[in-house]
Amino acid sequence: MAALVWQESGFRAAAVRPEPGFFIRYKPAIVAFVQRSKSKTDDHWLRFPEFYSASYGPMQVLYQVALEH
């Protein structure tokens, strides 16, 4: 586990890695997911594709994956 965290983020808790192709490839599915959610306060985040298309944290989890789990 430590080797994975070291490889992904160098143990930096605030690590962010852009994944520019992710939003382009999965935009229809992301839009549908956000619009189906009960909360409508998250809809405005669709205006910021760089927010959705980045990996965050020590294990570099994609934001969309975190939302789904």
Side-chain angles (χ1 to χ4, degrees):
M1 180 74 89
L4 175 69
V5 173
W6 176 254
Q7 178 67 34
E8 294 295 327
S9 68
F11 290 102
R12 291 178 294 128
V16 177
R17 179 180 63 214
E19 305 282 352
F22 180 80
F23 192 82
I24 294 167
R25 183 173 181 174
Y26 296 105
K27 182 178 179 179
I30 292 169
V31 170
F33 176 82
V34 170
Q35 290 175 343
R36 278 193 319 265
S37 69
K38 292 180 181 181
S39 171
K40 295 303 172 196
T41 59
D42 61 355
D43 290 1
H44 79 96
W45 288 111
L46 288 175
R47 293 183 292 148
F48 306 101
E50 65 278 0
F51 181 77
Y52 272 94
S53 57
S55 298
Y56 296 91
M59 295 198 49
Q60 293 293 284
V61 176
L62 278 165
Y63 180 73
Q64 184 65 32
V65 173
L67 285 175
E68 291 175 9
H69 291 283

